Amino acid sequence: MMTGDEYRASLRDGRRIYYDGELVEDVTTHPRMQGSVDLIAAGYDAYADSGPEAFAEAYEAPRSSAELRERLELLTKWDTSLVTTLESLNALRTAAGRMGNDVYSSRIEDYIAWCQENDVRCVQTISDAKGHRNLSPAKQDDPDVYTRIVEERADGIVIRGAKLHISAAAVTHEMVIMPTKMMRPGEEQWSVACAVPMNAPGVIVLNTTVSPRLDELDEHPYSRTRSMPEGFVVFEDVFVPNERVFLCGEVEHSATFAHSLGLWQRAGGIAHMAENFDILVGLARLLAEANGTERINHIKDKIAEMVIHATLVRAGFEAAVTNVSTTPEGWVTPNELYTNAAKYFGAKEFPRMLSLIHDIGGGSIVTAPLPGDLANPETRPLVEKYMRTMEGVSGEYRTRLFHAVRDMTASDFGGWWQVAVNISGAGLYAQKLVTTKHYDMEHAKAAARRAAGLDD
Ligand SMILES: Cc1cc2nc3c(=O)[nH]c(=O)nc-3n(C[C@H](O)[C@H](O)[C@H](O)COP(=O)(O)OP(=O)(O)OC[C@H]3O[C@@H](n4cnc5c(N)ncnc54)[C@H](O)[C@@H]3O)c2cc1C
């Protein structure tokens, strides 16, 4: 297992990372990315301290509903790089089982073991640039808008293209690359899955981030522990050796990877949503108490509505991890129906949760004075006097509560979060499709016939 410092050193590997047009010499000291590196390093240190077993276990496939719940709940406590690692590797496992191709299965098994042994972090690398959305890869005027194989050699393949929105790419080690959707006969060159290290020759990563600056951490109690750079990853004729190739032209399996990843991403998504919806309910109640409004009817009603949404998302998570499927290899996957329905419901109701907490909290969510005003002896008494509401609710306490809500819901991070909940793991429409596919429509129709007295 690596320590935090060993992890930092591992990132100085010649990778080509850009931020806002500038080549980043050392991502570990970059003002907008150091915070994310520090977060992951702290995770490495925590695991290094807790003995060799702790981290290794997390890479293992869950063998029971209880283990699955444990893994998914742990994801909510971990930094994003562990989330992306485990979701990527579980997606590979799931795809290997579904493809039934011995060569690819054994390469995937070896790769997962290698990742575990080397304690590396992986990212899910699936979303292509996609060009004209209504045209298939073969019909695009630029064939590179879907990542493709441009050369097959005896010892491997060469890939070209781009994968966008790759969370945590700049601060991790390995990209698990998969086709973004189903390919058809004639689209063999775009049916490619493989693993590529971040420092492979020909890989370029352009970055954006909502991570707070290091001198702004106090004002961002939530996002400082969660923000990662988003990578715009380009493959300029990157060589991939055979042992890291998991799909090479088999169009019939192209969608297997996307579906497998979708399941794990959405399962991780609802675990996070269940946790975060509870946090939002808790913050709403704390705000109401700090404002003295918790007994007012319409405020109680708004909190009750938030409680219902939080409870239904958690119920979906519970149903997904309880009603698992067991693979022929003996490990378990979350329930597709409940995972997708819960992800859809949570993402759809998320703007409502935000509207409710903003309505409950009031304008100070975006206008409360800054931490520096609390630190400055000249301005602190003003903040203390006018942000205080009653005995037991000091100006500092209430101001910091507003900072947390601003940070989570109305900051750069808050905006990022709204798009992320809606779009990551694919948009709402994708969840509708998968939910409908797994819903027992025959059961519903039979029940309807009985109810209508038409079952004869
Ligand atoms: C914060 C964040 C983090 C992310 N992290 C990752 C990551 O780590 N790895 C990764 O691989 N991806 C990641 N994604 C990408 C995410 O999976 C995609 O954004 C998502 O699948 C939508 O693709 P898109 O952004 O290209 O939008 P589009 O595909 O352009 O979709 C926009 C809208 O158009 C609709 N649409 C598009 N094409 C069609 C069509 N042919 N028919 C019908 N409707 C269509 C969609 O349903 C949607 O409503 C992330 C996204 C976000 C926002």
Side-chain angles (χ1 to χ4, degrees):
M1 293 173 74
M2 278 196 264
T3 62
D5 280 341
E6 284 164 348
Y7 154 70
R8 285 190 182 89
S10 73
L11 298 179
R12 298 184 199 109
D13 58 0
R15 57 188 58 204
R16 277 177 77 196
I17 304 291
Y18 286 82
Y19 186 84
D20 205 9
E22 283 182 15
L23 186 65
V24 175
E25 290 297 327
D26 182 354
V27 71
T28 70
T29 55
H30 187 272
R32 294 308 303 271
M33 290 188 272
Q34 184 186 335
S36 305
V37 171
D38 289 347
L39 207 57
I40 298 176
Y44 269 108
D45 278 336
Y47 293 112
D49 286 349
S50 60
E53 302 300 309
F55 189 49
E57 257 178 31
Y59 272 116
E60 304 290 333
R63 300 254 155 208
S64 65
S65 166
E67 269 185 26
L68 175 65
R69 171 198 302 280
E70 203 179 287
R71 299 278 152 79
L72 288 173
E73 281 180 345
L74 270 177
L75 290 187
T76 64
K77 317 277 182 289
W78 287 342
D79 67 71
T80 309
S81 77
L82 263 171
V83 175
T84 58
T85 303
L86 300 187
E87 288 177 3
S88 304
L89 299 183
N90 279 331
L92 279 185
R93 272 193 186 105
T94 308
R98 290 176 180 178
M99 279 193 298
N101 176 313
D102 290 346
V103 175
Y104 292 144
S105 289
S106 106
R107 287 181 188 170
I108 286 174
E109 219 173 278
D110 291 348
Y111 177 64
I112 293 173
W114 179 88
C115 290
Q116 187 173 26
E117 275 159 30
N118 290 280
D119 209 7
V120 296
R121 301 288 164 86
C122 309
V123 285
Q124 305 156 4
T125 314
I126 178 164
S127 302
D128 284 295
K130 295 194 282 198
H132 189 313
R133 286 349 191 216
N134 217 9
L135 296 179
S136 60
K139 298 216 170 91
Q140 300 286 338
D141 57 15
D142 181 346
D144 298 342
V145 293
Y146 284 85
T147 301
R148 65 190 181 114
I149 303 162
V150 289
E151 192 185 339
E152 286 187 50
R153 300 185 192 163
D155 55 346
I157 57 173
V158 177
I159 60 168
R160 185 187 302 160
K163 297 278 190 183
L164 312 191
H165 337 281
I166 310 307
S167 302
V171 291
T172 51
H173 307 102
E174 288 277 313
M175 284 177 280
V176 175
I177 296 168
M178 306 176 181
T180 204
K181 64 173 185 180
M182 186 174 77
M183 301 294 165
R184 298 202 157 74
E187 297 180 332
E188 287 74 12
Q189 60 182 303
W190 293 281
S191 297
V192 57
C194 55
V196 170
M198 213 59 72
N199 67 344
V203 170
I204 299 170
V205 188
L206 315 185
N207 290 277
T208 175
T209 188
V210 292
S211 187
R213 291 199 324 256
L214 294 178
D215 59 355
E216 285 181 335
L217 295 184
D218 280 355
E219 176 189 345
H220 297 91
Y222 184 82
S223 62
R224 74 180 181 213
T225 62
R226 282 159 176 91
S227 304
M228 287 289 144
E230 303 289 355
F232 180 111
V233 181
V234 180
F235 303 97
E236 288 195 323
D237 293 357
V238 174
F239 174 72
V240 188
N242 281 332
E243 63 269 24
R244 292 288 187 261
V245 178
F246 312 134
L247 186 78
C248 181
E250 295 85 350
V251 286
E252 67 278 17
H253 292 311
S254 53
T256 308
F257 286 88
H259 292 160
S260 305
L261 184 67
L263 173 61
W264 284 100
Q265 260 186 339
R266 289 169 207 157
I270 57 172
H272 275 102
M273 246 192 279
E275 172 92 355
N276 283 319
F277 275 30
D278 282 346
I279 293 175
L280 286 172
V281 171
L283 283 169
R285 175 72 198 197
L286 290 176
L287 282 173
E289 287 171 7
N291 288 349
T293 56
E294 81 275 18
R295 291 203 178 80
I296 294 173
N297 275 342
H298 79 91
I299 299 286
K300 283 201 293 195
D301 185 64
K302 288 182 172 101
I303 293 178
E305 187 179 335
M306 294 180 76
V307 167
I308 300 270
H309 292 328
T311 304
L312 285 177
V313 169
R314 190 162 289 284
F317 172 75
E318 289 295 328
V321 296
T322 306
N323 300 279
V324 294
S325 302
T326 304
T327 68
E329 300 81 31
W331 53 282
V332 301
T333 57
N335 180 287
E336 292 263 14
L337 176 71
Y338 297 128
T339 298
N340 279 276
K343 169 70 171 57
Y344 175 85
F345 174 80
K348 184 168 154 292
E349 295 305 330
F350 187 53
R352 179 72 184 148
M353 292 289 277
L354 299 183
S355 159
L356 289 166
I357 195 171
H358 293 162
D359 200 2
I360 291 164
S364 293
I365 290 171
V366 287
T367 64
L370 295 170
D373 298 314
L374 278 166
N376 181 338
E378 261 180 60
T379 48
R380 182 180 174 89
L382 306 176
V383 180
E384 279 292 7
K385 178 174 166 68
Y386 291 109
M387 290 301 284
R388 178 187 179 279
T389 46
M390 65 191 86
E391 180 149 359
V393 181
S394 71
E396 173 170 359
Y397 168 80
R398 191 157 160 266
T399 301
R400 288 179 58 188
L401 205 48
F402 283 123
H403 288 167
V405 178
R406 171 163 66 200
D407 184 30
M408 267 183 99
T409 69
S411 61
D412 269 10
F413 176 87
W416 171 91
W417 197 25
Q418 288 175 54
V419 178
V421 166
N422 201 331
I423 287 287
S424 63
L428 292 174
Y429 183 57
Q431 283 122 70
K432 268 191 181 163
L433 286 181
V434 185
T435 304
T436 312
K437 183 176 157 202
H438 290 277
Y439 180 76
D440 190 348
M441 193 60 84
E442 288 313 311
H443 166 82
K445 280 165 63 182
R449 274 193 214 101
R450 274 197 304 281
L454 296 169
D455 47 348
D456 53 348

